[in-house]
Amino acid sequence: MAERSTALQSLKVLDLTRVRAGPTCCRVLADFGADVVKIEAPVGADPSAGVSGARHGYDMLNLHRNKRSLTLNLKAPEGRALFLRMVESADVVVENFRPDVKDRLGIAYDDLAKVNPRIILASISGFGQDGPYAKRAGFDQIAQGMGGLMGVTGNPDEGPMRAGAAVADSSSGLYAAIGILVALQERSQSGMGQWVQSSLLEAQIAMMDFQAARYLVEGEVPKSSGNDHPYVTPMGVVATKDGYLNLGVGSDPQWQAFCELVGQPDWATDEKYATNPARFERRPELWDLLKPIFAERTTAQWVAALEEVGVPAGPIYMMDEVFADPQVQHLGMAAPVHHPARGETRLVAQPVKLSRTPASVYVSAPDAGEHSDAILAEVGVTPDEIAALRAQNII
């Protein structure tokens, strides 16, 4: 079993999140050793509570590893009082309810700051904490559409296409984690907590990066270009003898080396192809010339040959091929962990490496309420009080 990271071991986090964005944020903190207490409703107390698939399914295991679990009914006055008691000794609270829910529950930032001025509340929403869309339900695909990602994804003649991963959910969780770490650093100077906010819509727009800046700075509205790069050619997907290849000829010197490799040195000086603007202008024509050439060799042969001349290229993997790749194995992106019901399994590792205090996956996701007694005892709740709370379905 891996050892718990020591990087954030002094940090106590109360995790009220569900589905994906919020759990992604808390997973970062947990993987670096924070004591993350996942707070969820007792059975029947919150029919609308969302989970990520089956309790022992892949998504729950991956999102909620390294956490402890407490069941607590926040809708009951006794449950709210217990939560605020925990806030007194906590560092961070993370929630991704609709913005008005925490106000109704009496656990908004001002409520938390009254009992602990050092508390940091991180709120992740669909569209922001205020404004005309604040109360709308937010889902990843909706944010992908409104944030511009779907408008530039897919083939030009086929309409918008969603990305195959939850880009808005995951990035909003990561941005919230960054905000928490910034707030913690600032707290070390001021002694005060603050309210950290992120949303799926803001995160998706930020992830558009150069495409968004292209519009803001130049006034250009980017369009979808399929697998081709928006302005560099040839950079995209090409069929090989046995599959597909990502080709990335990113500069004119790389183009010159590429032309030598494919036996067409004249292309390097031909004014039609010598510069990227010229190649971009003749993109369809150029791909028509390249397709029969790439069909002559396998993907592996092309990757090796292109690497030899310094031209970026790579295979296009299915997920089983991803984790079979020797570089992925070297990077340790499949983290082993034991689960009481599923036995030995693997989860997706943190992609951030620290030399002294690395992240680790040291324990699997908890069952609901698995640690309730221990967590409540830590804030002074007696065994008799715990039994009474359980009898009332408060925990």
Side-chain angles (χ1 to χ4, degrees):
M1 178 185 295
E3 294 185 2
R4 178 178 173 180
S5 175
T6 59
L8 299 176
Q9 63 180 355
S10 64
L11 198 67
K12 185 169 183 179
V13 180
L14 304 181
D15 175 6
L16 298 174
T17 68
R18 54 186 75 184
V19 191
R20 184 169 314 284
T24 297
C25 169
C26 293
R27 178 176 62 191
V28 173
L29 307 177
D31 285 1
F32 280 101
D35 178 15
V36 178
V37 176
K38 176 174 168 53
I39 298 174
E40 44 196 320
V43 175
D46 185 3
S48 66
V51 297
S52 301
R55 188 78 199 189
H56 295 162
Y58 63 90
D59 213 10
M60 285 290 288
L61 298 192
N62 197 51
L63 283 168
H64 298 289
R65 77 275 188 108
N66 294 344
K67 301 179 184 181
R68 298 192 292 164
S69 174
L70 163 72
T71 49
L72 186 63
N73 184 358
L74 291 171
K75 294 180 178 179
E78 299 90 344
R80 177 182 180 274
L82 269 178
F83 177 72
L84 293 177
R85 190 165 162 182
M86 295 174 66
V87 168
E88 292 176 12
S89 58
D91 295 287
V92 179
V93 174
V94 187
E95 60 87 17
N96 61 344
F97 302 125
R98 291 194 200 187
D100 58 326
V101 170
K102 58 185 170 295
D103 296 310
R104 294 204 309 268
L105 293 174
I107 57 170
Y109 175 69
D110 289 344
D111 301 308
L112 307 185
K114 284 177 184 176
V115 300
N116 181 359
R118 290 173 56 84
I119 199 70
I120 292 164
L121 172 64
S123 296
I124 306 170
S125 60
F127 304 98
Q129 293 297 309
D130 47 33
Y133 302 161
K135 293 185 179 181
R136 287 188 185 180
F139 292 99
D140 177 83
Q141 186 162 336
I142 295 170
Q144 285 193 29
M146 293 180 66
L149 178 60
M150 292 176 66
V152 299
T153 305
N155 291 319
D157 55 348
E158 294 179 0
M161 177 70 68
R162 69 182 292 275
V167 179
D169 270 342
S170 297
S171 59
S172 61
L174 295 175
Y175 279 122
I178 293 170
I180 289 168
L181 296 175
V182 171
L184 286 166
Q185 172 60 24
E186 193 282 335
R187 190 181 72 176
S188 71
Q189 303 167 57
S190 69
M192 300 296 292
Q194 58 183 306
W195 188 11
V196 174
Q197 302 171 33
S198 181
S199 73
L200 274 64
L201 181 58
E202 290 167 287
Q204 181 60 80
I205 294 170
M207 290 296 287
M208 295 306 294
D209 195 45
F210 74 91
Q211 295 281 44
R214 185 177 173 185
Y215 168 70
L216 292 175
V217 176
E218 303 291 348
E220 294 181 25
V221 178
K223 296 181 173 60
S224 59
S225 55
N227 286 315
D228 285 325
H229 190 275
Y231 52 81
V232 177
T233 297
M235 186 176 287
V237 175
V238 62
T240 66
K241 188 175 183 179
D242 66 345
Y244 293 91
L245 173 85
N246 267 320
L247 175 67
V249 181
S251 67
D252 291 340
Q254 288 177 358
W255 171 248
Q256 292 156 16
F258 175 79
C259 292
E260 291 288 340
L261 173 65
V262 299
Q264 298 290 342
D266 292 347
W267 288 354
T269 55
D270 188 329
E271 64 178 16
K272 293 193 299 183
Y273 310 123
T275 66
N276 181 67
R279 293 191 296 275
F280 181 77
E281 187 178 341
R282 296 171 178 82
R283 172 181 277 171
E285 173 187 325
L286 186 56
W287 277 124
D288 285 343
L289 292 171
L290 294 178
K291 286 175 183 177
I293 294 173
F294 275 90
E296 295 173 0
R297 303 193 207 180
T298 66
T299 296
Q301 289 170 333
W302 274 118
V303 169
L306 289 160
E307 181 181 3
E308 207 169 296
V309 297
V311 175
I316 298 173
Y317 286 149
M318 299 301 287
M319 199 54 67
D320 56 340
E321 297 170 305
V322 171
F323 287 100
D325 185 278
Q327 182 65 23
V328 175
Q329 292 180 353
H330 170 78
L331 293 170
M333 285 307 296
V337 68
H338 178 79
H339 186 267
R342 301 194 64 147
E344 300 304 318
T345 188
R346 298 180 300 165
L347 302 173
V348 184
Q350 277 293 335
V352 180
K353 302 289 193 293
L354 274 67
S355 61
R356 288 191 299 102
T357 56
S360 69
V361 180
Y362 63 92
V363 66
S364 192
D367 283 337
E370 182 177 333
H371 307 98
S372 292
D373 289 21
I375 292 166
L376 292 175
E378 290 167 7
V379 293
V381 184
T382 68
D384 287 345
E385 289 172 324
I386 291 172
L389 289 166
R390 187 167 279 119
Q392 299 171 66
N393 204 34
I394 301 300
I395 63 172

